[in-house]
């Protein structure tokens, strides 16, 4: 037990709380479940009894943290600590096959940049042209410079026992330790701090945490970039700014700071067990990925437009990771993937796999696009205008898809107010004694629940609403425009602005309905997209808002098979509601058709059973274009 706790605390220079250590013991099964360790009093006594007399451990009661005595030097306050910010330039990316060409270091004491160390280094080999273009360092500049054998001893003396700071410190440390092992027979023992990892924790909103991106975000000038001394100065300025933000996170000592860069959002150390080389080889193409635990059990299925970027995002310490994602990352031992020709193909395949395999970390419908619909329950005696994430398998009237739930909510509130429609969830039992909800009390709903409107009159409201959506009745919009103009003429500008906002939103709703409603009602289209198969395109036939079929097409004859299917199915399912297993693909297609990747393929609307046959030459021409692009790629 002590060895396990010691090994854990070796990785936690800032120490660990009693509850954290007890949690470690519980999860490992060391302690007996019959012991009342969960109570703070007993848990504290248990740890003091187990560790209190061991000289390798000590306890700080002021912050309730256990430490190992080997880390005692790291308890000094950040304000008193000495850091050395380091940067190296090299001839390549891998120590041994590449060598250091320039090394720089800046000492930081009490929040100030003090002494500097800088030297060019003769690497004993040619500098690649790409490196010269990036850094400006040439063979002529290095020819008469000292070798690393001489420079390293000077650098090591400058470094002393300070904490080393670098941006993407793993890269700099890999080269420094390669030479340290060769020249000193041991790696550097200095603690290391990475500003890239700090930026991931402290600047979660940044899409990129490169030195340029972080410096630009923090307002640090990037003079003399891609030279060791220039980059060290930039990194030092970034470090001091990030250092100021740490007090808000309770970080006051060097040990806590070293811990912080490795600590996940949930307070536990961020760690994963998938080999980094296997992640670096994942391609930057669309596809589906699967995550497995150590026993080969499937944990999670996902899709990505860029597999490399998406999968690797799990294995970086981001403040945006939820507790569930962190738990998944700590459990995963293997990641596999399948490339697809398009993001749409990846999304449809992901939905199919999740439905069939039901991985434990996939939440229901979480994989579906974030579109939203309005739903008018026309089968109800008093139809309700509701909000839903996807079209259902009933005969309700759907409006959308809207680009977000927030937009759909605004549309729902406006339409309900203008047409007096109810949005309440209850099944109505109208009675004069019912007290309407707030919406009914302020007149935004005609309150059928309280029999303030007859069923016939409410049906008239619904009919007026549907005529408006279909463009058959513009009187309500005309009335709003007249009110807006009258308010403006009477200098009631706030009222005019509110009316203009309503008119603008109303126009957006009409646009969505007129341009996109076909997607969930009479969505008939033939899609051709790139495929991973050589000489083939991925085809999808969509009729009446549902995916009828998909497959690879290579020839005119393959297209004719889809044309035959379109003739057979064009009217067969027109009035049949979506089945539950068809809803996911319908939502995915609706979201994609809102903003199709036209550059990747083509969409052919189908307005009659023979539409594909009628446009066969055009469809075949697009197929040839896709095949030519794939052969060039």
């Amino acid at each position: 037990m002590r060895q396990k706790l010691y090994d854990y605390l070796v990785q936690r220079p800032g120490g660990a709380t009693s509850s954290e250590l007890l949690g470690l013991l519980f999860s490992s099964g060391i302690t007996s479940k019959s012991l009342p360790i969960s109570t703070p009093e007993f848990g504290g006594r248990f740890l003091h009894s187990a560790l209190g007399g061991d000289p390798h451990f000590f306890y700080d009661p002021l912050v309730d943290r256990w430490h190992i005595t080997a880390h005692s030097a790291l308890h000094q306050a950040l304000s008193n600590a000495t850091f050395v910010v380091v940067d190296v330039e090299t001839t390549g990316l891998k120590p041994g096959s590449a060598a250091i060409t320039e090394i720089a270091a800046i000492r930081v004491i009490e929040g100030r940049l003090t002494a500097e160390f800088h030297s060019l280094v003769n690497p004993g080999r040619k500098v690649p042209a790409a490196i010269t273009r990036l850094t400006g360092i040439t063979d002529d500049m290095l020819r008469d410079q000292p070798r690393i054998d001489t420079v390293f001893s000077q650098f090591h003396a400058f470094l002393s026992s300070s904490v080393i700071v670098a941006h993407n410190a793993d890269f700099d440390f890999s080269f420094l330790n390669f030479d340290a092992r060769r020249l000193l027979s041991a790696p550097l023992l200095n603690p290391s701090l990475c500003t890239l990892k700090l930026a991931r924790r402290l600047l979660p909103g940044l899409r990129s945490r490169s030195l340029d991106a972080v410096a630009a975000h923090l307002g640090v000038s990037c003079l003399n970039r891609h030279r060791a001394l220039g980059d060290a100065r930039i990194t030092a300025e970034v470090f001091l700014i990030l250092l100021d933000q740490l007090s808000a996170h309770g970080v006051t000592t060097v040990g806590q700071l070293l811990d912080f860069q490795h600590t996940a959002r949930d307070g536990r150390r961020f760690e994963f067990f998938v080999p980094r080389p296997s992640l670096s080889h994942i391609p930057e193409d669309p596809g589906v990925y699967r995550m497995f635990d150590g026993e080969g059990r499937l944990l999670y299925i996902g899709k990505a437009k860029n597999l490399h970027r998406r999968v690797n995002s799990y294995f970086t310490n981001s403040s945006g990771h939820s507790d569930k994602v962190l738990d998944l990352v700590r459990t995963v031992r293997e990641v596999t993937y399948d490339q697809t020709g398009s993001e749409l193909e990846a999304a449809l395949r992901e939905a199919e796999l999740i439905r069939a395999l039901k991985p434990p970390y996939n939440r229901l419908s979480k994989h579906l696009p974030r579109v939203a619909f309005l739903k008018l329950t026309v089968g109800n005696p008093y139809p309700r205008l509701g909000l839903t994430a996807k079209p259902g398998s009933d005969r309700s009237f759907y409006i959308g898809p809207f680009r977000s739930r927030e937009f759909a909510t605004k549309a729902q509130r406006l339409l309900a107010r203008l047409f007096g429609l109810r949005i309440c969830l209850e099944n109505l039992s109208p009675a004069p004694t019912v007290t309407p909800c707030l919406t009914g009390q302020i007149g935004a709903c005609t309150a059928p629940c309280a029999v303030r409107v007859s069923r016939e009159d409410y049906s008239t409201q619904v009919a007026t609403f549907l005529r408006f959506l279909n463009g058959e009745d513009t009187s309500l919009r005309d009335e709003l425009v007249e009110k807006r103009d009258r308010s403006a003429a009477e200098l009631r500008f706030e009222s005019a602005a509110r009316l203009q906002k309503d008119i603008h939103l109303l126009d957006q709703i009409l646009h969505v309905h007129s341009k996109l409603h076909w997607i969930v009602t009479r969505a008939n289209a033939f899609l051709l997209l790139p495929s991973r198969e050589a000489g083939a395109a991925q085809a999808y036939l969509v009729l009446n808002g549902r995916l009828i079929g998909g497959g690879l097409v290579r020839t005119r004859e393959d297209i004719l098979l889809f044309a035959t299917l379109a003739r057979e199915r064009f009217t067969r399912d027109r009035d049949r509601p979506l089945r539950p297993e068809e809803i996911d693909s319908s939502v995915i297609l609706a979201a994609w058709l809102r903003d199709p990747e036209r550059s990747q393929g083509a969409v052919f609307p189908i307005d009659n059973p023979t539409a594909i046959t009628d446009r066969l030459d055009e469809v075949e021409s697009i197929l040839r274009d896709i095949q030519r692009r794939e052969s060039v790629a």
Side-chain angles (χ1 to χ4, degrees):
M1 180 186 73
R2 288 181 183 176
Q3 185 62 49
K4 186 174 186 69
L5 294 179
Y6 185 89
D7 292 342
Y8 182 76
L9 288 171
V10 164
Q11 303 297 323
R12 299 297 303 267
T17 64
S18 298
S19 60
E20 188 175 348
L21 295 184
L22 291 168
L24 177 69
L25 296 181
F26 271 125
S27 64
S28 66
I30 293 175
T31 57
S32 170
K33 293 183 179 180
S34 62
L35 292 176
I37 302 297
S38 58
T39 63
E41 297 80 6
F42 188 91
R45 290 198 301 272
F46 177 85
L47 286 176
H48 279 282
S49 174
L51 306 179
D54 191 324
H56 295 94
F57 300 88
F58 71 93
Y59 178 69
D60 184 350
L62 294 178
V63 290
D64 180 31
R65 282 186 175 269
W66 286 91
H67 305 266
I68 58 173
T69 51
H71 287 159
S72 58
L74 301 180
H75 298 163
Q76 62 179 317
L78 291 177
S79 58
N80 299 328
T82 299
F83 302 91
V84 172
V85 182
V86 175
D87 188 80
V88 298
E89 300 298 333
T90 67
T91 61
L93 300 177
K94 187 177 180 181
S97 60
I100 293 174
T101 59
E102 187 177 28
I103 186 169
I106 301 174
R107 187 173 290 126
V108 177
I109 302 176
E110 295 181 352
R112 294 181 297 107
L113 278 59
T114 57
E116 294 183 347
F117 174 89
H118 173 250
S119 179
L120 289 168
V121 180
N122 185 335
R125 66 195 73 191
K126 292 284 187 180
V127 178
I131 298 297
T132 296
R133 286 194 296 271
L134 179 67
T135 65
I137 297 174
T138 66
D139 291 325
D140 289 341
M141 293 170 59
L142 302 178
R143 185 169 294 112
D144 298 326
Q145 298 300 324
R147 294 294 185 94
I148 191 64
D149 307 53
T150 301
V151 174
F152 198 86
S153 60
Q154 300 168 357
F155 166 75
H156 192 248
F158 182 87
L159 185 61
S160 185
S161 60
S162 305
V163 177
I164 297 179
V165 181
H167 198 78
N168 192 15
D170 290 343
F171 175 83
D172 299 87
F173 247 70
S174 66
F175 278 89
L176 293 173
N177 275 331
F178 178 84
D179 287 314
R181 290 187 180 94
R182 185 173 59 85
L183 300 171
L184 306 177
S185 301
L188 296 173
L189 299 178
N190 304 65
S192 67
L193 187 66
C194 181
T195 52
L196 173 61
K197 293 177 180 177
L198 287 180
R200 286 175 179 153
R201 293 292 320 278
L202 297 171
L203 307 173
L206 281 188
R207 182 176 179 84
S208 169
R209 277 86 171 201
S210 67
L211 186 56
D212 298 278
V214 173
H217 178 76
L218 298 177
V220 175
S221 174
C222 285
L223 294 176
N224 206 16
R225 182 77 171 92
H226 298 299
R227 290 297 300 272
L229 188 56
D231 285 357
R233 287 170 176 165
I234 296 167
T235 303
E237 295 288 351
V238 165
F239 172 60
L240 290 177
I241 294 173
L242 296 179
L243 208 57
D244 287 339
Q245 300 182 15
L246 290 168
S247 59
H249 296 266
V251 177
T252 59
T253 69
V254 174
Q256 290 171 352
L257 174 57
L258 295 173
D259 263 358
F260 182 79
Q261 65 180 330
H262 299 296
T263 303
R265 188 194 56 77
D266 62 355
R268 296 168 56 196
R269 186 177 178 84
F270 182 80
E271 55 185 347
F272 60 91
F273 304 96
V274 178
R276 181 65 76 179
S278 69
L279 297 174
S280 64
H281 290 51
I282 296 176
E284 297 184 352
D285 294 315
V288 176
Y289 56 92
R290 301 170 181 83
M291 295 182 174
F292 300 87
D293 66 12
E295 298 181 6
R297 287 187 293 254
L298 179 65
L299 300 174
Y300 184 79
I301 295 173
K303 62 99 174 54
K305 183 177 182 179
N306 183 317
L307 281 167
H308 182 87
R309 183 184 305 138
R310 181 70 183 110
V311 172
N312 277 269
S313 71
Y314 285 94
F315 303 100
T316 56
N317 191 8
S318 170
S319 296
H321 286 332
S322 66
D323 290 350
K324 190 170 185 177
V325 168
L326 290 171
D327 184 61
L328 170 65
V329 168
R330 293 178 179 123
T331 308
V332 172
R333 296 298 185 272
E334 182 186 9
V335 179
T336 65
Y337 61 87
D338 296 318
Q339 293 170 259
T340 59
S342 66
E343 189 177 4
L344 175 61
E345 182 185 352
L348 290 170
R349 188 178 298 182
E350 176 203 35
E352 180 183 357
L353 289 171
I354 290 174
R355 183 175 181 83
L357 302 176
K358 299 179 176 58
Y361 279 86
N362 283 100
R363 282 164 48 188
L364 185 64
S365 300
K366 182 72 174 178
H367 60 284
L368 295 180
R370 296 182 181 276
V371 294
F373 300 82
L374 295 183
K375 171 183 177 180
L376 187 68
T377 55
V378 291
N380 191 289
Y382 297 95
R384 169 184 177 267
L385 186 63
L387 193 67
T388 182
K390 54 189 176 182
S393 56
D394 55 15
R395 299 183 184 279
S396 297
F397 182 83
Y398 290 91
I399 308 159
F402 294 93
R403 64 175 177 267
S404 68
R405 188 176 182 87
E406 180 184 10
F407 184 17
T409 300
K410 291 179 180 178
Q412 177 198 34
R413 291 171 179 170
L414 176 67
L415 294 172
R417 171 165 56 86
L418 293 178
F419 292 95
L421 302 177
R422 72 180 187 95
I423 61 175
C424 53
L425 297 174
E426 291 80 5
N427 290 320
L428 299 188
S429 297
T433 56
V434 172
T435 301
C437 64
L438 180 61
T439 304
Q441 293 177 35
I442 64 175
C445 167
T446 50
C449 58
V451 201
R452 294 184 180 178
V453 60
S454 67
R455 181 170 174 178
E456 292 74 18
D457 288 343
Y458 192 86
S459 297
T460 299
Q461 294 172 207
V462 172
T464 302
F465 169 57
L466 294 176
R467 286 199 305 274
F468 165 78
L469 284 178
N470 294 328
E472 301 167 3
D473 186 350
T474 64
S475 59
L476 182 135
R477 187 186 186 281
D478 295 340
E479 182 181 341
L480 291 176
V481 170
E482 182 181 346
K483 288 181 179 179
R484 178 202 63 192
D485 294 344
R486 187 164 58 249
S487 294
E490 295 172 355
L491 306 183
R492 293 185 291 113
F493 297 118
E494 289 186 6
S495 175
R498 286 194 297 271
L499 288 163
Q500 177 55 38
K501 188 176 180 180
D502 288 348
I503 294 168
H504 178 66
L505 179 55
L506 209 58
D507 288 342
Q508 288 180 296
I509 296 168
L510 285 172
H511 175 78
V512 168
H513 185 71
S514 62
K515 299 296 183 184
L516 303 174
H517 186 57
W518 66 277
I519 294 171
V520 290
T521 52
R522 295 292 181 263
N524 302 310
F526 182 59
L527 317 181
L528 276 183
L529 297 168
S531 165
R532 294 297 304 176
E533 297 289 333
Q538 178 68 42
Y540 295 106
L541 178 62
V542 183
L543 295 177
N544 303 309
R546 55 168 53 87
L547 179 62
I548 299 299
L552 298 176
V553 294
R554 293 182 173 85
T555 65
R556 189 182 185 93
E557 287 69 28
D558 294 334
I559 299 172
L560 287 170
L561 292 176
F562 279 95
T564 301
L565 185 61
R567 283 198 305 272
E568 293 173 352
R569 299 289 296 274
F570 186 78
T571 58
R572 181 194 300 179
D573 303 323
R574 174 169 295 182
D575 297 319
R576 183 172 60 82
L578 287 172
R579 296 191 301 270
E581 63 270 21
E582 296 173 322
I583 291 175
D584 285 3
S585 60
S586 179
V587 172
I588 291 168
L589 287 164
W592 188 83
L593 288 167
R594 270 192 57 92
D595 186 22
E597 302 169 68
R598 298 294 170 87
S599 61
Q600 290 194 345
V603 178
F604 299 93
I606 299 176
D607 53 9
N608 65 74
T610 62
I612 298 179
T613 306
D614 296 342
R615 303 177 64 180
L616 188 58
D617 290 341
E618 183 183 354
V619 175
E620 187 177 18
S621 176
I622 295 295
L623 172 61
R624 299 288 172 253
D625 286 343
I626 293 174
Q627 290 171 326
R628 279 194 294 270
R629 289 201 300 268
E630 290 176 347
S631 64
V632 170

